[in-house]
Amino acid sequence: MVKFSKELEAQLIPEWKDAFVNYWQLKKNVKKIKLSRKPKHNSNTTTNYDFGRSIFDPVRALARKLAGDTTHVEAREIIQVKSRVSTGDGEEEEEVYETELDQLFSEEHEVKVFFEMLDEELNKVNHFYKSKETEFLARGEILNKQLQILLDLKRLVADRRRKNFGGQTGGGSGLLSRSGSSLGRNSDSSERDSENSGSPTDSGTDEVVAALEKNGINFVNSAVRGKNKKGKPKMAMRIDIPATTPTKTIAAVTSMLWEDIVNNPKKTAGGGEYINRKKIQCAEKMIRGAFVELYKGLGLLKTYSSLNMVAFTKILKKFDKVANQQASASYLKVVKRSHFISSDKVVRHMDEVESLFTQHFANSDRKKAMKFLRPQQQKDSHMVTFLVGLFTGTFVTLFSVYAILAHLSGMYTVGTEGSYIETVYPIFSMFALVSLHLFMYGCNLLMWKKTRINYNFIFEFQPSTALKYRDAFLICTSLMTAVVGAMVAHLILLSAGFSPQQVDFIPGVLLLSFVLLLICPLNIFYRPTRFCFIRVIRNIVCSPFYKVLMVDFFMADQLTSQIPLLRHMESAACYFLAGSFKTHRYETCKSGKMYRELAYVISFAPYYWRAMQCARRWFDESNVDHLANLGKYVSAMVAAGARLTYARQPTQAWMLVVLVTSVVATLYQLYWDFVKDWGLLNAKSKNPWLRDDLLLKKKGIYYASIGLNCVLRVAWVEAVMKYNPGVLESQLIAFLLASLEVIRRGHWNYYRLENEHLNNVGKYRAVKTVPLPFSGMDSDG
């Protein structure tokens, strides 16, 4: 049977861990009470509750029970929990509980400490629950207003379309049907006919506009807006849509420069009002997401209440067992009367959210609504574990076969290695680096799960489709099995006498197969993950036009560690697109000027994308730290360019430039790694030179990680060491350094997300903040 302490650890909300009952410390206090009572039980002066028991005790107990159970009444009065009203610094009045002990416990210090801490925990839980309840209820009120504004705007759009098209409401009703709203769909034919005359519709429109303005909606230039032919004011609605895409970003920048042009009322065929329907659709999507997050937050608060109630019950039962008294009944009554248990506002609000969401965002289909509000997580499959083991064994076997065949065929001997390495190596090493990165990501997922880091919330992944560590290992092992299998087939055909021109298509077919699998629209082989990856890469490449999310800049940081892979992609693309695999002249690409110049672009691109993301985040958040982070990537870009130039022009002057730029960039990166990304090197921390909160129990791991990161950050020193290895040795060294950088990045990933998680914990942030579209209202969260 699983102990409750472990069960609580597994089920509690990580971001709210500090707000839960400190069950573990209370257990320690109960153990102290037990230890303090042991000598008393052994002495003759104390009462031994087990001494002198007889066969008539059950009969006597039954008699006492029939007589009114006075003993139990006395037990309930051993402790008395009183409440008083306390006022904080500028805060509202709240009820605070204090326990008074009877003479039986008054001289026992350990019991006093236990109940004092129990009172503190009860007050802490009540205070946190009340604050979160108030926050979520206020958020719900704002969302109700936003939803009402959305429905009113849809009604305006439907009325205008019916007016313009002579009662044909296809477009308006279609827009309304997306949200399931019944507003605007129940108008009878007499009302439609009267719209052409103007009076009923105009009066209805005026009523809707008045309701919108009453809800805090301001129309652009509402005081001086122009009039249409019928004397009615033209309307231009301001809807705050986040600039998350290039189109919205350009529109936002344009509106800043020339707001009147963007928001100017457009003339329609009927000379009526103009409201941007696309913005209304975006607003609907934003409000729907806000409702989902509100429902999630209410569910977490409900879980918080039930888990704490069980914790209080369990710890009081342990106390009764140790103290040989029935003190829990009185205290549990107080716990049940406290706000976090007695309040039913959260449950009622969850029902209201379900009802609203089902009606307006799911076409009154509750089953469909629950897919949004309560997404089901994937269950772990034993088949995935089996396939991971199968592919791992197959990969090891095939790699052993490849090593034996390569030795027997003399493929890596002097004279034959150049052609083989230059044509085959870029493809296979590219897949090897991808597989290594996937393996490190699988290790990250495993460690994040073990240390209760909520990576799905941080990355905003859907729990139902999010990749798990077993899935990452399966993708890694299956990929490497296919790659090594292709390597073995390629080598066997070469050894059998086939010419390189005949078999060099194998790496190309392998590359093409994986590209097609990546973009395959069929729901096979982790389609949500594949499409998410493509979407994130698109956001990175199009920086700074897309709004930067955590997953976007996290992936962009991964790309800065995969520059060798991008260079191999350049070599492979040139080799196959230029037709070099037919002539088997691998030097054709490398001798081209464009190829050499493109190497600078590829080396700069990941740093440029990351720098543009920093610029975009500074623009959105006005945080100067993002500009400082941008400087880090600029320095890395300069250092990479200097090393490339030095590799082609190995002069003393360029060597000095490489040393200066690389040292500056490395120090910059190390500072940012340790202080900003990992949150370490805090001189005032209770953990020397680390941080106050650590998820890993052994502090030595953090110090070792700092040292390892320093060593792997200076791997660029190899670039300035002048020695002339052979073709095979140089490629192996390059692959080793690239692999070490991937390992360093995987190592960096864990601490980066640990620090992000602890920041969320420090702010009790367990629900995503969703911006709301209509100006004049408070934001969601």
Side-chain angles (χ1 to χ4, degrees), residues 564-602:
L565 182 145
L566 298 178
R567 295 290 306 277
H568 291 325
M569 290 179 63
E570 177 195 15
S571 300
C574 182
Y575 184 72
F576 288 105
L577 294 178
S580 299
F581 69 99
K582 297 179 181 178
T583 62
H584 207 59
R585 296 183 59 185
Y586 56 85
E587 67 276 0
T588 302
C589 289
K590 292 191 174 182
S591 61
K593 181 180 179 182
M594 182 175 293
Y595 179 89
R596 294 197 303 270
E597 298 303 325
L598 196 58
Y600 283 95
V601 176
I602 292 175

Side-chain angles (χ1 to χ4, degrees), residues 48 51 228 375 439 659 732:
N48 191 336
F51 180 77
N228 59 19
F439 175 77
L659 288 174
L732 287 177

Side-chain angles (χ1 to χ4, degrees), residues 441-450 455 467-469 472:
Y441 182 64
C443 294
N444 291 148
L445 293 176
L446 177 60
M447 288 302 300
W448 291 334
K449 180 181 179 182
K450 285 186 175 295
Y455 60 89
L467 208 65
K468 299 181 180 180
Y469 73 92

Side-chain angles (χ1 to χ4, degrees), residues 708-770:
L708 180 62
N709 193 69
C710 289
V711 172
L712 295 180
R713 274 290 191 187
V714 297
W716 56 264
V717 174
E718 183 273 337
V720 298
M721 297 174 63
K722 298 305 295 179
Y723 60 94
N724 297 315
V727 177
L728 177 61
E729 289 79 5
S730 62
Q731 296 287 7
L732 287 177
I733 291 173
F735 179 76
L736 176 62
L737 293 177
S739 300
L740 289 175
E741 173 59 21
V742 172
I743 293 172
R744 187 201 68 80
R745 179 59 63 181
H747 176 255
W748 176 91
N749 288 344
Y750 173 80
Y751 297 104
R752 175 66 183 88
L753 226 66
E754 180 195 29
N755 190 37
E756 185 73 18
H757 172 76
L758 291 174
N759 288 334
N760 288 336
V761 171
K763 298 176 182 178
Y764 299 109
R765 189 165 50 201
V767 180
K768 183 174 67 173
T769 300
V770 179

Side-chain angles (χ1 to χ4, degrees), residues 110 140 238 294 379 453 481 578 699:
E110 290 78 8
R238 175 177 295 163
L294 173 61
K379 295 181 179 180
I453 293 176
T481 300
K699 300 178 185 177

Side-chain angles (χ1 to χ4, degrees), residues 143-151 287 291 356 360-361:
L143 277 179
N144 283 333
K145 291 182 180 179
Q146 293 273 327
L147 179 61
Q148 187 58 49
I149 292 169
L150 177 67
L151 298 178
I287 294 174
F291 268 108
L356 286 173
H360 299 295
F361 298 103

